[in-house]
């Protein structure tokens, strides 16, 4: 059994959907396979806009966004299917998804609280529609597949915006509803990113969460491996679009990959590595548009001699705290206060009377934290700042010049903070 995940960047247009045929022919065609798909292209962003406009009561704008979402999908469907087939699929999608989507969006107009869960009820349509189009297309191309609603499999505690997956009911769902499908079909298609809570309401797993879904399915199916097909290809020592001298990485451990993603490498959802590590399932990151090309293999083996790896995490708030009473700062209390506000701390540098933290999270939470501090401290906030990290530095790396607000050298890494340029 193999699990394969195909992201929205791969499925950004009809050409991207067609590429699935080559990918499926290339990778383990004789094994049972679970295909986990994301919403097409930027659909999730558009659905957010739809929900946001509806929530503001701006029916006109929400209508325009809704129609744009339909137009985009209609273009893809018309390019993939002959006209009769396109018509039949389109009217199925309209009745089963597009009409309920509009109703869900309109429900937001009248809502006064619980905007988060009501937004999730809109967001799930991206993956639902995408997986239906992919299923119909693959059937036409000679890959008959079963379709499965992932919300029936992955059960969460419903907390917002990143719910915790409840393992026992999810595993039970996978065993009872997913595994039997493989008796009659070698290919099953389901969705990433979407799940439900214990009351069977729709939830989502956090932005870019399809990798996480795929990792959970791989663990629950005890798959031989997970292949994350990426439009950007395998993992590199830096983002090749910004650093042309970036080198490909053949192999990494889960921990090494987790560190890269934590510090901002946008190749994998950071939560996806733990279920794979716990279940000892190898992860292959491979190039969707060049499926014969070598990928990156991630297992529990640390790769020795990694080249310097550069990552960046944008959109952070820099918090500088100063003790005005000449009493040493209680760094542990400051840190605990930040995390209990739900802020993620990516960088800290502490001295006796001064400390700095770079955090991600809602600005209101930073303000709340600031208001709760003792008057003997003063606080300065700067944003947006960017955290640069260089893992495994060697003598060849060039250090930041004047623009760094903070610079930190640790035995196996360098961090610095600068204003976002
Ligand atoms: N479609 C979702 C998003 O754009 C999930 C994913 O792509 O992994 O965030
Ligand atoms: Mg996406």
């Amino acid at each position: 059994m193999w699990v394969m995940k195909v992201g929205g960047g791969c499925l950004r247009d009809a050409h991207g959907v067609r590429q699935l045929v080559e990918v499926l022919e290339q990778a383990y065609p004789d094994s049972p396979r679970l295909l986990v798909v994301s919403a097409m292209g930027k659909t999730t962003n558009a659905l957010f806009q739809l929900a946001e406009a509806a929530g503001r009561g701006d029916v006109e704008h929400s209508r325009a966004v809704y129609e744009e979402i339909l137009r985009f999908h209609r273009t893809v469907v018309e390019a993939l299917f002959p006209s009769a087939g396109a018509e039949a699929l389109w009217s199925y999608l309209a009745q089963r998804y597009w009409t309920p989507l509009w109703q869900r969006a309109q429900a937001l107009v009248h809502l006064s609280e619980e905007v988060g869960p009501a937004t999730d009820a809109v967001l799930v349509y991206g993956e639902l529609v995408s997986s239906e189009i992919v299923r119909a297309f693959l059937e036409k191309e000679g890959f008959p597949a079963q379709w499965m609603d992932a919300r029936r499999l992955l059960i969460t505690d419903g907390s917002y915006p990143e719910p915790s997956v409840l393992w026992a009911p999810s595993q039970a769902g996978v065993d009872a509803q997913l595994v039997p499908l493989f008796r009659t079909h070698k290919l099953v298609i389901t969705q990433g990113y979407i799940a439900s809570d214990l009351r069977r309401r729709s939830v989502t797993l956090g932005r870019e969460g399809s990798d996480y879904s795929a990792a959970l399915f791989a663990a629950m199916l005890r798959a031989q491996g997970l292949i994350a097909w990426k439009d950007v290809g395998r993992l590199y020592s830096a983002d090749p679009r910004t650093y042309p001298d970036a080198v490909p990485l053949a192999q990494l451990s889960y921990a090494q990959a987790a560190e890269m993603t934590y510090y901002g490498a946008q190749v994998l959802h950071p939560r996806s590595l733990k279920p794979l590590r716990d279940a000892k399932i190898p992860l292959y990151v491979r190039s969707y548009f060049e499926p014969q090309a070598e990928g990156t293999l991630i297992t529990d083996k640390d790769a020795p001699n990694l080249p310097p790896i550069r990552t960046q995490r944008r959109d952070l708030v820099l918090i500088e705290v100063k003790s005005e009473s000449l009493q040493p700062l209680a760094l542990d209390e400051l840190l605990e206060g930040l995390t209990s506000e739900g802020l993620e701390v990516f960088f800290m540098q502490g001295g006796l009377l001064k400390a700095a933290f770079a955090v991600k999270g809602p600005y209101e939470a930073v303000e709340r934290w600031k208001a709760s501090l003792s008057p003997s401290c003063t606080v300065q906030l700067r944003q947006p700042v960017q955290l640069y990290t260089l893992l495994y530095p060697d003598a060849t790396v060039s250090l930041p010049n004047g623009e760094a607000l903070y610079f930190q050298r640790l035995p196996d890494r360098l961090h610095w903070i600068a204003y976002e340029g």
Side-chain angles (χ1 to χ4, degrees), residues 5 7-8 38-39 41 43-45 48 127 192-193 206-211:
K5 182 252 163 173
S38 304
T43 301
T44 306
N45 291 353
F48 258 107
E127 269 69 13
Y193 185 55
R207 289 311 303 272
E208 305 305 327
S210 294
D211 289 334

Side-chain angles (χ1 to χ4, degrees), residues 35-241:
L35 185 62
V36 180
V37 303
S38 304
M40 292 178 165
K42 303 264 179 248
T43 301
T44 306
N45 291 353
L47 289 166
F48 258 107
Q49 283 170 21
L50 167 61
E52 195 265 330
R56 274 191 285 117
D58 189 343
V59 177
E60 199 183 321
H61 184 56
S62 68
R63 186 86 214 173
V65 177
Y66 173 75
E67 277 168 6
E68 184 51 41
I69 294 170
L70 267 63
R71 201 161 29 244
F72 166 70
H73 285 85
R74 178 143 195 142
T75 309
V76 174
V77 167
E78 282 176 355
L80 291 174
F81 298 88
S83 59
E87 242 5 274
L89 177 59
W90 193 254
S91 63
Y92 171 75
L93 294 177
Q95 177 230 332
R96 179 128 184 216
Y97 299 105
W98 298 134
T99 305
L101 166 61
W102 179 247
Q103 287 159 356
R104 285 289 184 189
Q106 289 314 292
L108 272 154
V109 177
H110 310 289
L111 214 83
S112 55
E113 52 191 337
E114 286 223 282
V115 178
T119 302
D120 272 352
V122 166
L123 298 178
V124 293
Y125 284 93
E127 269 69 13
L128 290 169
V129 167
S130 160
S131 62
E132 290 277 14
I133 295 174
V134 163
R135 194 207 62 79
F137 174 73
L138 287 177
E139 181 173 79
K140 172 171 86 74
E141 297 296 311
F143 294 89
Q146 275 278 359
W147 182 91
M148 180 74 211
D149 187 334
R151 294 172 300 176
R152 293 174 58 193
L153 305 174
L154 294 182
I155 313 297
T156 73
D157 67 356
S159 54
Y160 189 80
E162 291 207 347
S164 297
V165 171
L166 303 174
W167 198 272
S170 303
Q171 178 75 64
V174 165
D175 291 342
Q177 299 180 70
L178 182 57
V179 172
L181 301 182
F182 288 100
R183 290 198 203 117
T184 52
H185 283 75
K186 281 175 67 182
L187 183 63
V188 177
I189 297 173
T190 193
Q191 308 79 31
Y193 185 55
I194 72 173
S196 61
D197 67 10
L198 284 163
R199 291 159 62 188
R200 301 227 160 261
R201 288 181 308 190
S202 295
V203 301
T204 62
L205 298 177
R207 289 311 303 272
E208 305 305 327
S210 294
D211 289 334
Y212 183 43
S213 303
L216 293 166
F217 287 130
M220 290 172 187
L221 289 167
R222 291 174 268 295
Q224 257 172 284
L226 166 61
I227 305 179
W229 296 102
K230 299 275 165 178
D231 58 337
V232 290
R234 62 201 298 198
L235 267 57
Y236 285 82
S237 62
D239 185 341
R241 287 166 299 193

